[in-house]
Amino acid sequence: MEVPGLERRFRERGLRRTPQRVAVWSDFADHPGSTIREAAARLQRAGIGQATVYRAVRALEEAGLIVRFAAPHEEVRFAAVLDHAHLLVCERCGHVEPLQECGLRAYEAELARRSRFRVRGHTLIVYGLCPECQESP
Amino acid sequence: MEVPGLERRFRERGLRRTPQRVAVWSDFADHPGSTIREAAARLQRAGIGQATVYRAVRALEEAGLIVRFAAPHEEVRFAAVLDHAHLLVCERCGHVEPLQECGLRAYEAELARRSRFRVRGHTLIVYGLCPECQESP
DNA sequence: ATTGATGCAAATAATTTGCACCTTT
DNA sequence: AAAGGTGCAAATTATTTGCATCAAT
C-alpha cells in the first residue's frame, strides 16, 4: 500500500521504514479495529513473525501512527491514524469507522485551563450498533 | 465503602451483590485507572482470588459499573463509574481524574443521524501531563 | 560500516476454566 | 432449595525476550 505522508512520519520519528512495519501499519489501515492477534494471524501468512508484529505495534503506537482503544468488554484493538483518533465502533460486529471532527478542541482548551494538565490529545470512542446489526436479532 | 445507588444497580441488572464484587468495584473507585493486575494484587490481601477479580471485572463492566480504557501504549485500565465515562489521564504517572460534562451530546446526536448507527455511548480519554509531572524531568 | 530490526523458539506473564464447596436470593 | 458465585490449581493464551542473522541508513 502506498501511503502519502507515512514515509515522512517514519523518518521524522527516527523509525526505520522496514517492509514489516509498513505491512503492520497497512494491515491496521485495511482492517481498522483489529486486535494484535488478528493482525498477526494475517501477517504471518506474509511471513512476518508474531514477535515482529508486537514490536511493530509498540513502535507505531509510540510514533502516533496507530491508536489503541478498548471498546466495552473487548480486547484492545488498534487502528491506523494519520491524524486525530476518533472512532465509531459497532459493539456487535466490531465494525469501525473513523470519524472526522469532534468539536472537542474548545473543550480541551478549557479543560487544560481548569485542570492544569498539559493536554496532549485525546481518544474518543463512540460505540453503538451499526445499521446492519440493528436489523439482525 | 457505602455506595448509594450501587445496590440498586446490581439488582437492576440481576447481578448478585457479593462482598467480592463490591470490593472489586470499590477498589476501582478508590484507585481509578488501575489495571486488573494491580487491583487483584491489592484484593488478594483481602482473600479474594484472582480468578474472582477477573470474573467480577467482566460482570461489572457488562453492567456498566466500571469502564475500561487504554491510554496510549498502556495496559488496559479500569475505573468505577456511576454515570458517564470521561477520564483525564496522566501519561507519565497514570493519575486519573474523572471528568464531568464533555459537550458531546449534540455531537452524538448528529453523528447518529449521519452514520445511522444507534449510538449507545462513548468513552473519552483525554491524556496529557498532570501538574506534578510537568515539573519533574 | 553501523545500528537497529527480524525470525525463531523458549521463557514469562496474563487470563480462563474445572470442580468441589459455599452464599445469595 | 435453586441458581449462581467463589477459591484454588491447572490449563490455556497472550506477550516478551535471547540470540544469531539480516537490512536500512
Side-chain angles (χ1 to χ4, degrees), chain A:
Chain A
M1 194 200 255
E2 204 35 67
V3 189
L6 186 59
E7 188 105 9
R8 181 181 50 77
R9 296 200 112 195
F10 270 83
R11 209 174 12 223
E12 277 175 3
R13 322 246 175 191
L15 272 183
R16 284 192 184 174
R17 204 211 64 107
T18 67
Q20 290 89 341
R21 284 172 173 178
V22 174
V24 171
W25 189 90
S26 299
D27 188 86
F28 284 118
D30 293 341
H31 308 274
S34 288
T35 62
I36 294 196
R37 198 158 35 85
E38 290 162 354
R42 283 188 296 264
L43 291 159
Q44 208 131 43
R45 293 188 218 114
I48 297 177
Q50 65 176 8
T52 298
V53 176
Y54 279 93
R55 287 187 278 226
V57 163
R58 207 191 301 189
L60 291 167
E61 191 184 16
E62 238 148 66
L65 292 166
I66 61 177
V67 277
R68 85 171 46 203
F69 62 96
H73 41 95
E74 285 275 341
E75 208 171 334
V76 172
R77 298 175 173 281
F78 294 86
V81 284
L82 281 176
D83 293 307
H84 237 50
H86 300 108
L87 305 164
L88 181 56
V89 181
C90 178
E91 297 185 276
R92 169 91 68 92
C93 69
H95 174 73
V96 176
E97 275 186 36
L99 298 175
Q100 298 312 317
E101 226 351 282
C102 60
L104 282 174
R105 226 164 274 267
Y107 174 72
E108 249 189 20
E110 190 206 325
L111 188 60
R113 199 163 47 245
R114 276 192 305 154
S115 69
R116 305 175 145 270
F117 264 60
R118 180 177 307 151
V119 175
R120 296 250 294 228
H122 62 258
T123 304
L124 171 66
I125 296 116
V126 182
Y127 47 91
L129 287 178
C130 70
E132 287 73 38
C133 288
Q134 286 173 42
E135 305 296 325
S136 44

Side-chain angles (χ1 to χ4, degrees), chain B residues 16 18 20-21 47-49 51-52 55:
Chain B
R16 286 193 182 172
T18 67
Q20 290 88 340
R21 284 172 173 179
I48 297 176
T52 298
R55 287 187 279 227

